[in-house]
Amino acid sequence: MQPRDKKKLAASAALQYLEDDMLVGIGTGSTVEEFLLAIKERGLRLRGAVSSSRATSDRLRALGIEEFALNDVGDLPLYVDGADEATPQGALIKGGGAALTREKVVAAASARFVCIIDDSKLVDVLGRFPLPVEVIPMARSYVARRLVGLGGQPVWREGVVTDNGNVILDVHNLRIVDPRSLEQEIDRIAGVVTVGLFAHRGADEILVGGEQGVRRILP
Ligand code: 5RP
């Protein structure tokens, strides 16, 4: 089975959390695309969605799902998003698609965060996937030096500008045994907008698509 098929399985399983007329927070990435396609295929009628990126807004528009601004709607009942890595405890690495800041905001504003992944992303210790950090452009080099001080090897994702006009440093060689404290530590570096560690507000449920179907993890 291809990773895309496993993503599809997890995405379809997340449909069970949707209710008619619901307003849903929508993440970014290929697994989320499968989720949006599944919503359309099943003919589900949402009130609309709050988007986490320009890319997702484009998809919503193409599929005829109405988009609402977070500022206009207040808190949300549900946020559905993928991840680059996830632990069974619900801590995540996100930001492979450079959408981590808006993803973190929409996740924070949502009562329930359902994470949909294929089984290659489930790990015991985060860090094999380079940790994305969104940084304001003039602070790139300073933040990179601080990240080296924390034991990582930051690599500038050249050519990528986030939806917020910032840059991304991908931090290699971290073995993240305490995601909550590392999240806090990186957040404290001046110039960091968002670290792609989602530990303080991690996933409430993880749906893992694999050869045997979908496994549901409740951290
Ligand atoms: C985007 C993200 C995505 O959720 C993450 O990169 C997973 O993407 P995909 O579903 O395409 O594997 O964090 O910023």
Side-chain angles (χ1 to χ4, degrees):
M1 193 183 261
Q2 298 298 310
R4 190 81 191 201
D5 296 317
K6 296 177 179 178
K7 290 178 182 192
K8 234 184 228 182
L9 280 179
S12 301
L15 294 178
Q16 65 185 294
Y17 300 100
L18 298 178
E19 290 164 18
D20 274 351
D21 211 32
M22 204 178 196
L23 197 52
V24 187
I26 303 285
T28 300
S30 57
T31 319
V32 161
E33 268 184 38
E34 294 296 346
F35 178 62
L36 292 175
L37 288 172
I39 289 174
K40 287 320 267 185
E41 270 166 28
R42 292 274 179 97
L44 299 177
R45 293 221 184 101
L46 298 176
R47 185 171 147 220
V50 170
S51 171
S52 62
S53 64
R54 288 193 187 146
T56 291
S57 298
D58 290 345
R59 293 301 294 149
L60 291 171
R61 210 169 304 118
L63 292 169
I65 298 173
E66 190 173 349
E67 182 181 346
F68 289 80
L70 186 63
N71 285 327
D72 294 336
V73 297
D75 288 348
L76 301 168
L78 178 67
Y79 179 60
V80 178
D81 197 358
D84 299 301
E85 277 186 349
T87 68
Q89 291 74 37
L92 312 172
I93 286 184
K94 291 188 46 55
L100 60 166
T101 296
R102 296 186 189 192
E103 289 174 338
K104 213 174 232 196
V105 173
V106 185
S110 301
R112 182 190 228 175
F113 177 0
V114 174
C115 182
I116 47 179
I117 56 171
D118 70 79
D119 57 4
S120 69
K121 295 176 171 181
L122 192 62
V123 297
D124 289 326
V125 178
L126 298 172
R128 194 182 54 206
F129 189 93
L131 176 65
V133 181
E134 181 168 349
V135 175
I136 66 168
M138 61 76 73
R140 174 172 51 82
S141 170
Y142 166 75
V143 173
R145 291 196 300 279
R146 297 281 80 78
L147 292 169
V148 169
L150 294 176
Q153 283 187 343
V155 176
W156 176 24
R157 206 184 292 177
E158 280 195 71
V160 171
V161 177
T162 70
D163 288 350
N164 316 304
N166 297 312
V167 298
I168 299 279
L169 294 172
D170 291 307
V171 191
H172 295 248
N173 289 347
L174 290 173
R175 194 169 179 277
I176 306 171
V177 286
D178 186 350
R180 289 172 74 93
S181 60
L182 187 65
E183 182 178 12
Q184 236 168 3
E185 205 161 352
I186 296 178
D187 266 340
R188 274 203 296 260
I189 301 172
V192 166
V193 177
T194 303
V195 53
L197 258 180
F198 286 48
H200 286 92
R201 205 291 175 251
D204 298 308
E205 302 187 26
I206 307 174
L207 301 173
V208 188
E211 299 285 342
Q212 314 302 326
V214 177
R215 182 176 155 208
R216 178 171 178 240
I217 299 176
L218 292 172

